[in-house]
Every structure is written in structure tokens, then in C-alpha cells.
Amino acid sequence: MNFGMLGAGVVMGLAAIGSSFGLGIAGQGAIGAWKRCYVNNKPAPFILTVFAGAPLTQTIYGFLLMQRMLSSQKDPWFLLGLGVASGLAMGASAIAQGQAGAAGSDALGETGKGFAQYIMVVGLCETVALFTMVFSMIVC
């Protein structure tokens, strides 16, 4: 068994699992904000879909790193460890991004203000996954 290939699959899987949880969390926040807008006869901002969909990108990063790992000649045990650690980091980033997105949806839906500030926080969560992907690609 090639444990390096297992590591490549693990990074993709963990990143996608994190994205799924993050999307669910952010989606709940967006739907709740829209509901409050409807109840209060306010326009429901479509821009909340940005917050709801943001955690999806970690799946893309996991896929890109998986592709790089599949062509790597590094030690298979190293690749397995790299896949587990990188997948967990990307997945955690997606969950944190979902939480930040849910809070951003709540705040924007309530006030109609602050989109730039809220999306910056969501972007900071994204940065963890980006750094993880790039640094992992460098070493593998």
C-alpha cells in the first residue's frame, strides 16, 4: 500500500468535510438573517450568499494539494502526515470561516452596514487554508 496516496486522499477528504461543516454553519446564519429581514419587511440582501459560500474554497485547496501530492516523490509516510495535518488545518479553517460568515450575515442582515469589515474577517480565516496549501506544496 502506498501511504503517500492515502495522504493525498486524506487531505482532500478532510478539507471537503471542513467545507461541508463551514457551509452548513454559514448557510444557517444567512438563512436566519434573511428570515429576520422578511419578518421585519426589510429587503433581504442577496450579498449574504458570499458569506454562505465562502467555506467552499477549502475543498479546492485540498484538491490542488492532493494533485501535487500524487506526483510527489517524497517519503510516503511524510506525505501521509502532511495530508493529515494539512487536511485538518484546511478543514478547521473552513469551519472557522463558516462561523465568521454566519456572524457577518447576522450583522449585515440586521444593520445593512459593514460588509467590508465582515468579509475581511472571513478572508482572514481563508488565509489559514491558503498558507497551509502553499507551504505544503512547497515541501512536497
Side-chain angles (χ1 to χ4, degrees):
M1 173 183 260
N2 184 340
F3 287 99
M5 291 187 80
L6 181 61
V10 166
V11 73
M12 175 67 203
L14 290 174
I17 289 168
S19 285
S20 297
F21 284 125
L23 288 164
I25 294 164
Q28 290 172 0
I31 290 169
W34 283 324
K35 180 196 77 163
R36 276 194 317 282
C37 288
Y38 294 136
V39 166
N40 294 319
N41 290 319
K42 291 173 41 180
F46 183 75
I47 195 77
L48 298 186
T49 57
V50 172
F51 294 128
L56 185 58
T57 56
Q58 280 80 347
T59 300
I60 297 168
Y61 303 149
F63 175 77
L64 293 172
L65 181 54
M66 177 187 73
Q67 292 297 319
R68 179 69 175 253
M69 290 173 71
L70 288 173
S71 63
S72 176
Q73 299 301 312
K74 293 280 187 177
D75 178 72
W77 287 103
F78 171 77
L79 293 174
L80 177 60
L82 182 68
V84 170
S86 297
L88 287 172
M90 289 180 197
S93 167
I95 293 168
Q97 194 173 44
Q99 293 168 331
S105 289
D106 179 55
L108 186 65
E110 185 76 23
T111 66
K113 299 177 184 174
F115 177 76
Q117 290 89 348
Y118 310 145
I119 201 68
M120 279 192 276
V121 174
V122 170
L124 288 172
C125 297
E126 177 93 10
T127 304
V128 173
L130 275 170
F131 283 169
T132 299
M133 179 191 69
V134 170
F135 297 154
S136 296
M137 289 176 104
I138 289 170
V139 299
C140 102

